[in-house]
Amino acid sequence: ASAGRPLHRDNMDFCIGELFTLPLVVLVSIMAQPRLQYAMATDGLIPPIFAKMDANGNLWWGTLISGIVMILIATFVPFTFLNDLISAGILIAFTITDSSVILLRHASPEDKPLLLEKLLVVFNILAIISGLLLSNYMDSDAGQVFAAFGVVALIILMVEIKRQCPPLDLSNVMGSSAGFKTPFMPFLPLLGSVVNWYLIAHLDSYDIVLLIVYCAVVMVGYYLYGIKRSVGNHKGWSTSPDDDYVESVDFELTSQHKIT
């Protein structure tokens, strides 16, 4: 947000920092975007053209398409909207990651299928409401009371997820190390989700509406296109080097990195 403010002496430090950091962030985003699209196209979430490589192994089409879209957005969309919307989108991505880590490490009890998923949905909804109360309604007594109830309910849900959803046995998954270790499960990712929603709750109402529209568009695209073609959704990915790698997408990569 500081980059959008005038270059006055009071916020000179912020502007100088933006001059150095913002170009680096943009450069890293542009460099990573084609590879991110490649991974999604390999799974079938987006069209195969984003995974096409040239003779040198470069994602030429993905870079071209994403670059054109970035240029159009940067040209016609005010930076004020982009700044808040991108920040909120990243926070939502972090929240999804937090929930995914819990789903990878814990499971619903056998007699209560999908209990963990339901508890996570309720937890995130309550975290959104609590964040809105803490950031906008703490001036009133009613807001303080409801916010306190929300915080207590979040703590209870954390304990219930820990108590009712046992950890998975990962000794036979991806070797004895289970890929990576996650400390303080499931409390650490749950706390991360609460912080993310609290930060999102500080957005203006107009920015929140834009964020909801953005998420709705992404969900519609996923359910109309991605969910029908996703390899991970239908067959799953191989978790062992001894398993056959499953790739049921609409293209094949040759040794020359070309689409046949």
Side-chain angles (χ1 to χ4, degrees), residues 118-131 133-134 144-162 164 187 190-191 194:
K118 294 176 182 178
L119 289 176
L120 286 176
V121 171
V122 175
F123 181 87
N124 281 279
I125 293 176
L126 188 59
I128 297 172
I129 297 174
S130 300
L133 291 172
L134 290 171
Q144 294 177 5
V145 171
F146 284 113
F149 276 116
V151 172
V152 172
L154 287 173
I155 295 175
I156 293 175
L157 281 174
M158 288 183 182
V159 175
E160 287 300 304
I161 291 175
K162 175 67 175 180
Q164 296 194 40
F187 302 111
L190 289 174
L191 287 174
V194 172

Side-chain angles (χ1 to χ4, degrees), residues 88-104 120 123-124 189-190 192-194 196-197 200 211 214-215 218-219 222:
I90 293 174
L91 289 172
I92 289 181
F94 288 163
T95 302
I96 295 175
T97 302
D98 290 332
S99 298
S100 299
V101 170
I102 297 174
L103 293 173
L104 286 172
L120 286 176
F123 181 87
N124 281 279
L190 289 174
S193 298
V194 172
N196 293 336
W197 288 121
I200 292 174
L211 181 63
Y214 168 76
C215 293
V218 172
M219 291 180 63
Y222 173 73

Side-chain angles (χ1 to χ4, degrees), residues 177-198:
S177 63
F180 61 91
K181 296 182 180 180
T182 310
F184 307 112
M185 285 291 295
F187 302 111
L188 186 59
L190 289 174
L191 287 174
S193 298
V194 172
V195 173
N196 293 336
W197 288 121
Y198 175 74

